[in-house]
Amino acid sequence: MAGVKRHVVQVGDHRIAYSEGGQGESVLLLHGFAASGDSWNRLAATLTKKHHVIAPDLPGWGASTRIETESYGYPAQLARLEDLVQELKLERFHLMGHSMGGFLAAAYAARFPKRVITLGLLCPHGMSEPVPSDLARSVEKGDNWLVVSSVEGFNRLLSNLFVKRPYIPGPIVKYLAQIAVRNTLKSRQIFEEMQHNEPPLIQRLRQIKAPAMIVWGDHDRVLDVSSAELLKANLKQAQLVILKECGHMPLIEKTRTWIGQYLSFINSARGQQAGEANA
């Protein structure tokens, strides 16, 4: 990742790997299911020019510890996230999450509203879908293509994540597929744990005080874009950006389209808070 260095910190029973770089207000980035902090590379290259960026491999994913007997559902991950925030001595920061990380980010902002300056939600998991996604319909039929069990399945996943799949060299695709296949059983268990959340995300949203920016691709096959308006309607302060011809990975597929809006969003939040402090 441009402008950052990799670090490792011990948090409880887990060694957590994370990328860190830049100076200024902190921006904490939480990746999605079966991903790692590396999924933020393209975005972080821009953010580190004026911000202090931290992108962890969440426990159970990437280079961080995965313990077969541990839960990586949302309650356990939320506790680990707070432990990581304490370990890194983050007091107030901008928080952004994608998909699984979006649920975590929203749940964290609801539980610790004074810590989060702004909240970025990229097609977050956890909202009901007025229109069922392609993934939801496939899972209903017993075909969960988000949990990879073969090299062919990994290629299918990549094709389903993007409208226009980015070029990845064949050997790298094969290497990543082998890691995913090795983790299939535990990943399937984590996926199941993620489907049971009390209270539901929609009930947590009313506790969020931070202004939010929601970004969603209009061709998202994992989490249907029909959830976006429902999410916006249940947040106190939210703006919504729907990206045309974009799938489930706006942090990779359409970064240049919305990064300027995001930078303006977090800058305006800073200005607004400064004005309130001086009032």
Side-chain angles (χ1 to χ4, degrees), residues 42 243-247 249-259:
R42 192 169 296 183
L243 302 172
K244 295 181 179 180
E245 294 300 311
C246 182
M249 301 296 289
L251 65 171
I252 295 175
E253 193 168 18
K254 292 284 185 176
T255 310
R256 292 180 181 177
T257 305
W258 62 272
I259 186 60

Side-chain angles (χ1 to χ4, degrees), residues 15 52 76 207 223 255 273:
R15 293 175 75 251
H52 169 226
Q207 307 301 324
L223 297 168
T255 310
Q273 291 181 358

Side-chain angles (χ1 to χ4, degrees), residues 184-234:
T184 297
L185 291 178
K186 184 64 175 178
S187 295
R188 185 175 291 123
Q189 178 188 335
I190 296 170
F191 180 90
E192 291 301 323
E193 290 176 332
M194 287 167 51
Q195 310 314 309
H196 308 285
N197 305 300
E198 291 297 334
L201 182 59
I202 196 167
Q203 293 182 20
R204 303 179 194 230
L205 298 179
R206 68 191 68 163
Q207 307 301 324
I208 294 173
K209 295 182 178 179
M213 178 171 170
I214 305 161
V215 180
W216 220 301
D218 68 347
H219 283 60
D220 192 334
R221 302 182 68 184
V222 177
L223 297 168
D224 194 81
V225 68
S226 60
S227 300
E229 290 288 354
L230 181 63
L231 178 63
K232 181 178 184 290
N234 282 275

Side-chain angles (χ1 to χ4, degrees), residues 58-61 71-82 100 104:
L58 292 168
W61 304 104
S71 168
Y72 295 95
Y74 290 125
Q77 290 292 69
L78 188 59
R80 294 184 186 114
L81 176 59
E82 168 59 1
M100 175 187 78
L104 272 177

